């Protein structure tokens, strides 16, 4: 006779679907491998671009005293600084909003409301961090492309225009 109001059976009658589990594991491994390969491909692409820009920079060394080169380089730098400044302002604005939401945690009157507010706060922080990281990497990519284009244009200018 059992002390529990229901029957307790320690032996499961159901056999696990091993084929389905193996397929799910293989699919997961394939997905992870594909993501790793994508990361490797993009890293190699970026490294190649950086090497190309480095080579272009070396060719610009001969035009070190050209006022046009200096002026345009300073304009590129100013544009980068403006973008970084804007990104910094957006970060501060996002953190201010998060701090205001954090102050509202005290207003929770039940544990479920507290957990909901904390989860929302964590989600908002994650979104802010993702947005800032994405914007920063996009800026790095833009710098890479813009600088490469500008440097290749300066390299291809005829010698008469370099004077």
């Amino acid at each position: 006779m059992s002390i529990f109001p229901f029957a307790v059976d320690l032996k499961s009658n159901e056999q696990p679907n091993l084929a389905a589990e193996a397929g799910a594991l293989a699919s997961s491994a394939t997905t992870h491998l594909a993501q790793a390969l994508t990361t490797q491909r993009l890293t190699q692409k970026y490294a190649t671009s950086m090497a190309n820009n480095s080579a272009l920079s070396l060719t610009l060394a001969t035009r070190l005293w050209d006022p046009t080169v200096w002026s345009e380089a300073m304009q590129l730098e100013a544009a980068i600084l403006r973008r970084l400044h804007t990104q910094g302002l957006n970060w501060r604005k996002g953190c201010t909003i998060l701090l205001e939401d954090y102050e509202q945690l005290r207003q929770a009157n039940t544990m479920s409301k507290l957990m909901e507010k904390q989860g929302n706060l964590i989600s908002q922080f994650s979104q802010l961090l993702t947005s800032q990281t994405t914007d920063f990497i996009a800026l790095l990519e833009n710098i890479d492309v813009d600088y490469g284009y500008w440097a290749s244009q300066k390299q291809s200018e005829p010698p008469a225009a370099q004077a």
Side-chain angles (χ1 to χ4, degrees), residues 5 35 45-47 50 80 99 104 109 122 127 152 157:
Q35 290 173 349
K45 179 180 173 185
Y46 188 68
M50 292 298 290
I80 292 166
L99 286 174
Q104 294 179 3
N109 54 4
I122 291 168
Q127 288 175 345
S152 66
E157 280 185 359

Side-chain angles (χ1 to χ4, degrees), residues 16-109:
N17 188 348
L18 296 178
E21 287 180 17
L25 284 174
S27 174
S28 175
T30 303
T31 301
H32 292 306
L33 180 61
Q35 290 173 349
L37 290 174
T38 298
T39 302
Q40 179 186 13
R41 179 180 50 81
L42 291 174
T43 302
Q44 287 174 341
K45 179 180 173 185
Y46 188 68
T48 302
S49 178
M50 292 298 290
N52 183 48
N53 284 348
S54 296
L56 288 171
S57 294
L58 286 175
T59 63
L60 285 179
T62 60
R63 301 191 53 199
L64 197 57
W65 305 112
D66 185 348
T68 304
V69 171
W70 276 102
S71 173
E72 292 174 3
M74 292 300 110
Q75 290 173 16
L76 281 172
E77 185 177 337
I80 292 166
L81 291 175
R82 281 192 301 272
R83 288 269 311 265
L84 285 172
H85 178 71
T86 301
Q87 188 170 353
L89 291 176
N90 290 340
W91 173 255
R92 287 184 62 199
K93 187 186 304 182
C95 287
T96 301
I97 292 169
L98 286 174
L99 286 174
E100 291 169 358
D101 288 351
Y102 180 76
E103 290 295 322
Q104 294 179 3
L105 287 177
R106 291 184 278 162
Q107 297 174 359
N109 54 4

